[in-house]
Structures are given as C-alpha cells and as structure tokens.
Amino acid sequence: MVEQEFKAALNYIKDSKNPPLDTNNEQKLDFYALFKQSTDGAPKGSAPSRLKVVERAKFMAWKAREKLTKEQAMQEYVNLLTKLAPNWKKPKI
C-alpha cells in the first residue's frame, strides 16, 4: 500500500503539469534523503569533503535517516508531499 502511494507521489512530483512545490532548501534535502533511503537504503561510505557543500549536505540529510526502514521512509516522503501539496491525491478534472 505505502509503496503504491510512494510511486504516485513520485509521479506527481515528476509531472510538469502539476504546480511546482514551494519548498525551501531543508524540505528539498528532506525529499532527497527520504527518496534515497526508500530506494537505496542506508548510505555507504563516508561523507564528502566539507568543500563539497551541496554533496555533503545531501549525504548528511540522508545519513540522518539511515535508521528508517524502506517503508517508513516512503511514508515520510508521502507525508511531506501531503503537507506541501494537500490536494495532490485528488484526481484532475
């Protein structure tokens, strides 16, 4: 059930016909980290250099969620999308 909802959420975000989400950097990192945890599991290796600011921020956000199961990460991803776009599940007319 949660996997289907997660896939629907991914499709909603990818669909250019939908209005863009008004997200801040923290929310973008949340989406990234939850997606990576859902699809790849826990991060492997060490964090990128502090000089690689973006890559390091993404890795650290993902690392902060490494204890979530695949299903928990999927559910949190759906919850975040629902918070930012409450009507995303409603069918288009």
Side-chain angles (χ1 to χ4, degrees), residues 5-6 8-10 12-13 21 23 27 31 34 74-90:
E5 201 171 29
F6 175 70
L10 292 177
Y12 177 86
I13 289 175
L21 295 175
T23 56
Q27 291 163 328
F31 273 121
L34 293 168
M74 287 179 180
Q75 187 60 58
E76 285 195 27
Y77 188 98
V78 169
N79 293 348
L80 180 57
L81 177 58
T82 302
K83 178 182 169 189
L84 297 171
N87 297 323
W88 77 271
K89 291 183 194 179
K90 292 186 179 174

PDB file of all heavy atoms in Angstrom, residues 5-6 8-10 12-13 21 23 27 31 34 74-90:
ATOM      1  N   GLU A   5       1.502   4.322  -2.954  1.00  0.00           N
ATOM      2  CA  GLU A   5       1.325   5.734  -2.651  1.00  0.00           C
ATOM      3  C   GLU A   5       2.639   6.502  -2.901  1.00  0.00           C
ATOM      4  O   GLU A   5       2.626   7.618  -3.424  1.00  0.00           O
ATOM      5  CB  GLU A   5       0.863   5.895  -1.200  1.00  0.00           C
ATOM      6  CG  GLU A   5       0.195   7.199  -0.921  1.00  0.00           C
ATOM      7  CD  GLU A   5      -0.440   7.236   0.466  1.00  0.00           C
ATOM      8  OE1 GLU A   5       0.037   6.557   1.388  1.00  0.00           O
ATOM      9  OE2 GLU A   5      -1.406   7.986   0.607  1.00  0.00           O
ATOM     10  N   PHE A   6       3.756   5.896  -2.546  1.00  0.00           N
ATOM     11  CA  PHE A   6       5.068   6.496  -2.778  1.00  0.00           C
ATOM     12  C   PHE A   6       5.298   6.695  -4.281  1.00  0.00           C
ATOM     13  O   PHE A   6       5.719   7.769  -4.715  1.00  0.00           O
ATOM     14  CB  PHE A   6       6.152   5.599  -2.172  1.00  0.00           C
ATOM     15  CG  PHE A   6       7.561   6.051  -2.440  1.00  0.00           C
ATOM     16  CD1 PHE A   6       8.073   7.192  -1.853  1.00  0.00           C
ATOM     17  CD2 PHE A   6       8.387   5.303  -3.276  1.00  0.00           C
ATOM     18  CE1 PHE A   6       9.390   7.598  -2.094  1.00  0.00           C
ATOM     19  CE2 PHE A   6       9.697   5.701  -3.509  1.00  0.00           C
ATOM     20  CZ  PHE A   6      10.190   6.847  -2.920  1.00  0.00           C
ATOM     21  N   ALA A   8       3.039   6.960  -6.574  1.00  0.00           N
ATOM     22  CA  ALA A   8       2.121   8.011  -7.018  1.00  0.00           C
ATOM     23  C   ALA A   8       2.675   9.389  -6.665  1.00  0.00           C
ATOM     24  O   ALA A   8       2.568  10.334  -7.445  1.00  0.00           O
ATOM     25  CB  ALA A   8       0.741   7.805  -6.391  1.00  0.00           C
ATOM     26  N   ALA A   9       3.281   9.503  -5.490  1.00  0.00           N
ATOM     27  CA  ALA A   9       3.884  10.773  -5.061  1.00  0.00           C
ATOM     28  C   ALA A   9       5.046  11.144  -5.988  1.00  0.00           C
ATOM     29  O   ALA A   9       5.175  12.303  -6.388  1.00  0.00           O
ATOM     30  CB  ALA A   9       4.356  10.672  -3.616  1.00  0.00           C
ATOM     31  N   LEU A  10       5.879  10.167  -6.336  1.00  0.00           N
ATOM     32  CA  LEU A  10       6.989  10.425  -7.254  1.00  0.00           C
ATOM     33  C   LEU A  10       6.471  10.895  -8.609  1.00  0.00           C
ATOM     34  O   LEU A  10       6.995  11.846  -9.194  1.00  0.00           O
ATOM     35  CB  LEU A  10       7.845   9.170  -7.443  1.00  0.00           C
ATOM     36  CG  LEU A  10       8.649   8.694  -6.245  1.00  0.00           C
ATOM     37  CD1 LEU A  10       9.378   7.396  -6.588  1.00  0.00           C
ATOM     38  CD2 LEU A  10       9.629   9.750  -5.781  1.00  0.00           C
ATOM     39  N   TYR A  12       3.634  12.367  -9.202  1.00  0.00           N
ATOM     40  CA  TYR A  12       3.070  13.709  -9.042  1.00  0.00           C
ATOM     41  C   TYR A  12       4.179  14.760  -9.134  1.00  0.00           C
ATOM     42  O   TYR A  12       4.044  15.764  -9.829  1.00  0.00           O
ATOM     43  CB  TYR A  12       2.333  13.838  -7.705  1.00  0.00           C
ATOM     44  CG  TYR A  12       1.801  15.235  -7.471  1.00  0.00           C
ATOM     45  CD1 TYR A  12       0.560  15.609  -7.964  1.00  0.00           C
ATOM     46  CD2 TYR A  12       2.558  16.179  -6.779  1.00  0.00           C
ATOM     47  CE1 TYR A  12       0.079  16.896  -7.780  1.00  0.00           C
ATOM     48  CE2 TYR A  12       2.085  17.470  -6.591  1.00  0.00           C
ATOM     49  CZ  TYR A  12       0.848  17.824  -7.084  1.00  0.00           C
ATOM     50  OH  TYR A  12       0.377  19.109  -6.910  1.00  0.00           O
ATOM     51  N   ILE A  13       5.281  14.520  -8.448  1.00  0.00           N
ATOM     52  CA  ILE A  13       6.371  15.495  -8.437  1.00  0.00           C
ATOM     53  C   ILE A  13       7.032  15.594  -9.816  1.00  0.00           C
ATOM     54  O   ILE A  13       7.395  16.679 -10.254  1.00  0.00           O
ATOM     55  CB  ILE A  13       7.398  15.137  -7.343  1.00  0.00           C
ATOM     56  CG1 ILE A  13       6.772  15.421  -5.969  1.00  0.00           C
ATOM     57  CG2 ILE A  13       8.700  15.907  -7.511  1.00  0.00           C
ATOM     58  CD1 ILE A  13       7.614  15.019  -4.788  1.00  0.00           C
ATOM     59  N   LEU A  21       6.231  22.753  -6.411  1.00  0.00           N
ATOM     60  CA  LEU A  21       6.128  22.844  -4.961  1.00  0.00           C
ATOM     61  C   LEU A  21       6.936  24.037  -4.469  1.00  0.00           C
ATOM     62  O   LEU A  21       8.028  24.301  -4.963  1.00  0.00           O
ATOM     63  CB  LEU A  21       6.668  21.572  -4.310  1.00  0.00           C
ATOM     64  CG  LEU A  21       5.905  20.288  -4.589  1.00  0.00           C
ATOM     65  CD1 LEU A  21       6.647  19.110  -3.968  1.00  0.00           C
ATOM     66  CD2 LEU A  21       4.501  20.367  -4.038  1.00  0.00           C
ATOM     67  N   THR A  23       9.138  24.921  -2.007  1.00  0.00           N
ATOM     68  CA  THR A  23       9.959  24.274  -0.983  1.00  0.00           C
ATOM     69  C   THR A  23      11.191  25.109  -0.657  1.00  0.00           C
ATOM     70  O   THR A  23      11.736  25.793  -1.519  1.00  0.00           O
ATOM     71  CB  THR A  23      10.439  22.887  -1.452  1.00  0.00           C
ATOM     72  OG1 THR A  23      11.127  23.039  -2.689  1.00  0.00           O
ATOM     73  CG2 THR A  23       9.296  21.919  -1.615  1.00  0.00           C
ATOM     74  N   GLN A  27      13.486  21.405   3.027  1.00  0.00           N
ATOM     75  CA  GLN A  27      12.476  20.476   2.503  1.00  0.00           C
ATOM     76  C   GLN A  27      13.010  19.724   1.285  1.00  0.00           C
ATOM     77  O   GLN A  27      12.735  18.534   1.115  1.00  0.00           O
ATOM     78  CB  GLN A  27      11.198  21.239   2.163  1.00  0.00           C
ATOM     79  CG  GLN A  27      10.488  21.751   3.402  1.00  0.00           C
ATOM     80  CD  GLN A  27       9.479  22.839   3.094  1.00  0.00           C
ATOM     81  OE1 GLN A  27       9.636  23.623   2.169  1.00  0.00           O
ATOM     82  NE2 GLN A  27       8.426  22.891   3.902  1.00  0.00           N
ATOM     83  N   PHE A  31      13.199  15.683   0.972  1.00  0.00           N
ATOM     84  CA  PHE A  31      12.731  14.868  -0.148  1.00  0.00           C
ATOM     85  C   PHE A  31      13.863  13.986  -0.674  1.00  0.00           C
ATOM     86  O   PHE A  31      13.677  12.788  -0.910  1.00  0.00           O
ATOM     87  CB  PHE A  31      12.199  15.742  -1.295  1.00  0.00           C
ATOM     88  CG  PHE A  31      10.751  16.117  -1.162  1.00  0.00           C
ATOM     89  CD1 PHE A  31      10.379  17.451  -1.115  1.00  0.00           C
ATOM     90  CD2 PHE A  31       9.754  15.157  -1.112  1.00  0.00           C
ATOM     91  CE1 PHE A  31       9.037  17.813  -1.014  1.00  0.00           C
ATOM     92  CE2 PHE A  31       8.409  15.508  -1.007  1.00  0.00           C
ATOM     93  CZ  PHE A  31       8.060  16.839  -0.961  1.00  0.00           C
ATOM     94  N   LEU A  34      14.795  11.171   1.957  1.00  0.00           N
ATOM     95  CA  LEU A  34      13.743  10.150   2.063  1.00  0.00           C
ATOM     96  C   LEU A  34      13.673   9.302   0.796  1.00  0.00           C
ATOM     97  O   LEU A  34      13.458   8.090   0.860  1.00  0.00           O
ATOM     98  CB  LEU A  34      12.398  10.809   2.374  1.00  0.00           C
ATOM     99  CG  LEU A  34      12.323  11.448   3.757  1.00  0.00           C
ATOM    100  CD1 LEU A  34      11.086  12.329   3.887  1.00  0.00           C
ATOM    101  CD2 LEU A  34      12.348  10.390   4.854  1.00  0.00           C
ATOM    102  N   MET A  74       9.352   5.806   2.837  1.00  0.00           N
ATOM    103  CA  MET A  74       8.318   6.056   1.831  1.00  0.00           C
ATOM    104  C   MET A  74       7.151   6.823   2.436  1.00  0.00           C
ATOM    105  O   MET A  74       6.645   7.777   1.842  1.00  0.00           O
ATOM    106  CB  MET A  74       7.811   4.739   1.235  1.00  0.00           C
ATOM    107  CG  MET A  74       8.760   4.073   0.315  1.00  0.00           C
ATOM    108  SD  MET A  74       8.021   2.533  -0.281  1.00  0.00           S
ATOM    109  CE  MET A  74       9.324   1.943  -1.331  1.00  0.00           C
ATOM    110  N   GLN A  75       6.715   6.394   3.629  1.00  0.00           N
ATOM    111  CA  GLN A  75       5.587   7.043   4.281  1.00  0.00           C
ATOM    112  C   GLN A  75       5.911   8.497   4.628  1.00  0.00           C
ATOM    113  O   GLN A  75       5.089   9.388   4.446  1.00  0.00           O
ATOM    114  CB  GLN A  75       5.169   6.275   5.540  1.00  0.00           C
ATOM    115  CG  GLN A  75       3.893   6.792   6.171  1.00  0.00           C
ATOM    116  CD  GLN A  75       2.699   6.707   5.224  1.00  0.00           C
ATOM    117  OE1 GLN A  75       2.359   5.635   4.751  1.00  0.00           O
ATOM    118  NE2 GLN A  75       2.075   7.830   4.932  1.00  0.00           N
ATOM    119  N   GLU A  76       7.118   8.749   5.110  1.00  0.00           N
ATOM    120  CA  GLU A  76       7.514  10.121   5.433  1.00  0.00           C
ATOM    121  C   GLU A  76       7.582  10.988   4.177  1.00  0.00           C
ATOM    122  O   GLU A  76       7.248  12.167   4.210  1.00  0.00           O
ATOM    123  CB  GLU A  76       8.845  10.138   6.189  1.00  0.00           C
ATOM    124  CG  GLU A  76       8.679   9.695   7.624  1.00  0.00           C
ATOM    125  CD  GLU A  76       9.885  10.030   8.489  1.00  0.00           C
ATOM    126  OE1 GLU A  76      10.616  10.998   8.181  1.00  0.00           O
ATOM    127  OE2 GLU A  76      10.085   9.322   9.487  1.00  0.00           O
ATOM    128  N   TYR A  77       8.007  10.410   3.070  1.00  0.00           N
ATOM    129  CA  TYR A  77       8.047  11.129   1.792  1.00  0.00           C
ATOM    130  C   TYR A  77       6.620  11.552   1.403  1.00  0.00           C
ATOM    131  O   TYR A  77       6.382  12.706   1.052  1.00  0.00           O
ATOM    132  CB  TYR A  77       8.653  10.229   0.723  1.00  0.00           C
ATOM    133  CG  TYR A  77       8.936  10.899  -0.600  1.00  0.00           C
ATOM    134  CD1 TYR A  77      10.213  11.349  -0.900  1.00  0.00           C
ATOM    135  CD2 TYR A  77       7.943  11.073  -1.557  1.00  0.00           C
ATOM    136  CE1 TYR A  77      10.497  11.953  -2.119  1.00  0.00           C
ATOM    137  CE2 TYR A  77       8.205  11.682  -2.765  1.00  0.00           C
ATOM    138  CZ  TYR A  77       9.486  12.119  -3.052  1.00  0.00           C
ATOM    139  OH  TYR A  77       9.755  12.725  -4.247  1.00  0.00           O
ATOM    140  N   VAL A  78       5.694  10.602   1.481  1.00  0.00           N
ATOM    141  CA  VAL A  78       4.290  10.885   1.159  1.00  0.00           C
ATOM    142  C   VAL A  78       3.736  11.942   2.111  1.00  0.00           C
ATOM    143  O   VAL A  78       3.040  12.875   1.685  1.00  0.00           O
ATOM    144  CB  VAL A  78       3.446   9.586   1.204  1.00  0.00           C
ATOM    145  CG1 VAL A  78       1.962   9.887   1.142  1.00  0.00           C
ATOM    146  CG2 VAL A  78       3.866   8.646   0.083  1.00  0.00           C
ATOM    147  N   ASN A  79       4.056  11.825   3.389  1.00  0.00           N
ATOM    148  CA  ASN A  79       3.577  12.798   4.382  1.00  0.00           C
ATOM    149  C   ASN A  79       4.101  14.203   4.078  1.00  0.00           C
ATOM    150  O   ASN A  79       3.363  15.185   4.206  1.00  0.00           O
ATOM    151  CB  ASN A  79       3.993  12.389   5.794  1.00  0.00           C
ATOM    152  CG  ASN A  79       3.311  11.131   6.270  1.00  0.00           C
ATOM    153  OD1 ASN A  79       2.357  10.650   5.664  1.00  0.00           O
ATOM    154  ND2 ASN A  79       3.819  10.552   7.343  1.00  0.00           N
ATOM    155  N   LEU A  80       5.357  14.303   3.685  1.00  0.00           N
ATOM    156  CA  LEU A  80       5.938  15.606   3.365  1.00  0.00           C
ATOM    157  C   LEU A  80       5.255  16.215   2.143  1.00  0.00           C
ATOM    158  O   LEU A  80       4.910  17.401   2.148  1.00  0.00           O
ATOM    159  CB  LEU A  80       7.447  15.476   3.126  1.00  0.00           C
ATOM    160  CG  LEU A  80       8.201  16.754   2.779  1.00  0.00           C
ATOM    161  CD1 LEU A  80       8.031  17.824   3.863  1.00  0.00           C
ATOM    162  CD2 LEU A  80       9.682  16.449   2.564  1.00  0.00           C
ATOM    163  N   LEU A  81       5.024  15.411   1.118  1.00  0.00           N
ATOM    164  CA  LEU A  81       4.327  15.910  -0.062  1.00  0.00           C
ATOM    165  C   LEU A  81       2.918  16.353   0.307  1.00  0.00           C
ATOM    166  O   LEU A  81       2.464  17.409  -0.131  1.00  0.00           O
ATOM    167  CB  LEU A  81       4.280  14.848  -1.167  1.00  0.00           C
ATOM    168  CG  LEU A  81       3.505  15.256  -2.425  1.00  0.00           C
ATOM    169  CD1 LEU A  81       4.078  16.523  -3.040  1.00  0.00           C
ATOM    170  CD2 LEU A  81       3.486  14.120  -3.429  1.00  0.00           C
ATOM    171  N   THR A  82       2.230  15.578   1.133  1.00  0.00           N
ATOM    172  CA  THR A  82       0.870  15.909   1.543  1.00  0.00           C
ATOM    173  C   THR A  82       0.840  17.224   2.333  1.00  0.00           C
ATOM    174  O   THR A  82      -0.074  18.022   2.183  1.00  0.00           O
ATOM    175  CB  THR A  82       0.254  14.758   2.365  1.00  0.00           C
ATOM    176  OG1 THR A  82       0.268  13.573   1.551  1.00  0.00           O
ATOM    177  CG2 THR A  82      -1.166  15.063   2.781  1.00  0.00           C
ATOM    178  N   LYS A  83       1.864  17.449   3.130  1.00  0.00           N
ATOM    179  CA  LYS A  83       1.956  18.700   3.900  1.00  0.00           C
ATOM    180  C   LYS A  83       2.121  19.904   2.962  1.00  0.00           C
ATOM    181  O   LYS A  83       1.520  20.954   3.173  1.00  0.00           O
ATOM    182  CB  LYS A  83       3.142  18.612   4.864  1.00  0.00           C
ATOM    183  CG  LYS A  83       3.388  19.849   5.684  1.00  0.00           C
ATOM    184  CD  LYS A  83       4.607  19.659   6.572  1.00  0.00           C
ATOM    185  CE  LYS A  83       5.026  20.978   7.198  1.00  0.00           C
ATOM    186  NZ  LYS A  83       6.306  20.869   7.868  1.00  0.00           N
ATOM    187  N   LEU A  84       2.927  19.734   1.910  1.00  0.00           N
ATOM    188  CA  LEU A  84       3.215  20.836   0.995  1.00  0.00           C
ATOM    189  C   LEU A  84       2.183  21.004  -0.117  1.00  0.00           C
ATOM    190  O   LEU A  84       2.011  22.101  -0.642  1.00  0.00           O
ATOM    191  CB  LEU A  84       4.603  20.643   0.374  1.00  0.00           C
ATOM    192  CG  LEU A  84       5.765  20.668   1.364  1.00  0.00           C
ATOM    193  CD1 LEU A  84       7.059  20.252   0.681  1.00  0.00           C
ATOM    194  CD2 LEU A  84       5.905  22.050   1.978  1.00  0.00           C
ATOM    195  N   ALA A  85       1.529  19.906  -0.494  1.00  0.00           N
ATOM    196  CA  ALA A  85       0.518  19.934  -1.559  1.00  0.00           C
ATOM    197  C   ALA A  85      -0.651  19.060  -1.124  1.00  0.00           C
ATOM    198  O   ALA A  85      -0.788  17.919  -1.573  1.00  0.00           O
ATOM    199  CB  ALA A  85       1.111  19.442  -2.868  1.00  0.00           C
ATOM    200  N   PRO A  86      -1.500  19.575  -0.220  1.00  0.00           N
ATOM    201  CA  PRO A  86      -2.565  18.756   0.371  1.00  0.00           C
ATOM    202  C   PRO A  86      -3.504  18.092  -0.639  1.00  0.00           C
ATOM    203  O   PRO A  86      -4.055  17.036  -0.354  1.00  0.00           O
ATOM    204  CB  PRO A  86      -3.344  19.742   1.239  1.00  0.00           C
ATOM    205  CG  PRO A  86      -2.438  20.899   1.442  1.00  0.00           C
ATOM    206  CD  PRO A  86      -1.499  20.938   0.279  1.00  0.00           C
ATOM    207  N   ASN A  87      -3.641  18.659  -1.813  1.00  0.00           N
ATOM    208  CA  ASN A  87      -4.585  18.115  -2.796  1.00  0.00           C
ATOM    209  C   ASN A  87      -3.927  17.239  -3.855  1.00  0.00           C
ATOM    210  O   ASN A  87      -4.535  16.930  -4.868  1.00  0.00           O
ATOM    211  CB  ASN A  87      -5.331  19.267  -3.486  1.00  0.00           C
ATOM    212  CG  ASN A  87      -6.156  20.053  -2.501  1.00  0.00           C
ATOM    213  OD1 ASN A  87      -6.734  19.499  -1.575  1.00  0.00           O
ATOM    214  ND2 ASN A  87      -6.201  21.365  -2.674  1.00  0.00           N
ATOM    215  N   TRP A  88      -2.707  16.804  -3.623  1.00  0.00           N
ATOM    216  CA  TRP A  88      -2.001  16.069  -4.668  1.00  0.00           C
ATOM    217  C   TRP A  88      -2.669  14.752  -5.037  1.00  0.00           C
ATOM    218  O   TRP A  88      -2.529  14.296  -6.169  1.00  0.00           O
ATOM    219  CB  TRP A  88      -0.540  15.840  -4.276  1.00  0.00           C
ATOM    220  CG  TRP A  88      -0.278  14.759  -3.270  1.00  0.00           C
ATOM    221  CD1 TRP A  88      -0.257  14.891  -1.936  1.00  0.00           C
ATOM    222  CD2 TRP A  88      -0.017  13.380  -3.527  1.00  0.00           C
ATOM    223  NE1 TRP A  88       0.021  13.683  -1.328  1.00  0.00           N
ATOM    224  CE2 TRP A  88       0.174  12.746  -2.298  1.00  0.00           C
ATOM    225  CE3 TRP A  88       0.096  12.628  -4.703  1.00  0.00           C
ATOM    226  CZ2 TRP A  88       0.441  11.384  -2.183  1.00  0.00           C
ATOM    227  CZ3 TRP A  88       0.368  11.278  -4.599  1.00  0.00           C
ATOM    228  CH2 TRP A  88       0.539  10.669  -3.351  1.00  0.00           C
ATOM    229  N   LYS A  89      -3.434  14.156  -4.134  1.00  0.00           N
ATOM    230  CA  LYS A  89      -4.062  12.859  -4.425  1.00  0.00           C
ATOM    231  C   LYS A  89      -5.379  12.990  -5.182  1.00  0.00           C
ATOM    232  O   LYS A  89      -5.860  12.017  -5.737  1.00  0.00           O
ATOM    233  CB  LYS A  89      -4.351  12.116  -3.115  1.00  0.00           C
ATOM    234  CG  LYS A  89      -3.120  11.649  -2.393  1.00  0.00           C
ATOM    235  CD  LYS A  89      -3.520  10.861  -1.163  1.00  0.00           C
ATOM    236  CE  LYS A  89      -2.367  10.656  -0.222  1.00  0.00           C
ATOM    237  NZ  LYS A  89      -2.753   9.921   0.960  1.00  0.00           N
ATOM    238  N   LYS A  90      -5.929  14.195  -5.189  1.00  0.00           N
ATOM    239  CA  LYS A  90      -7.229  14.369  -5.851  1.00  0.00           C
ATOM    240  C   LYS A  90      -7.065  14.239  -7.350  1.00  0.00           C
ATOM    241  O   LYS A  90      -6.126  14.776  -7.940  1.00  0.00           O
ATOM    242  CB  LYS A  90      -7.820  15.728  -5.505  1.00  0.00           C
ATOM    243  CG  LYS A  90      -8.208  15.823  -4.051  1.00  0.00           C
ATOM    244  CD  LYS A  90      -8.923  17.116  -3.740  1.00  0.00           C
ATOM    245  CE  LYS A  90      -9.298  17.117  -2.261  1.00  0.00           C
ATOM    246  NZ  LYS A  90      -9.868  18.387  -1.861  1.00  0.00           N
TER     247      LYS A  90
END
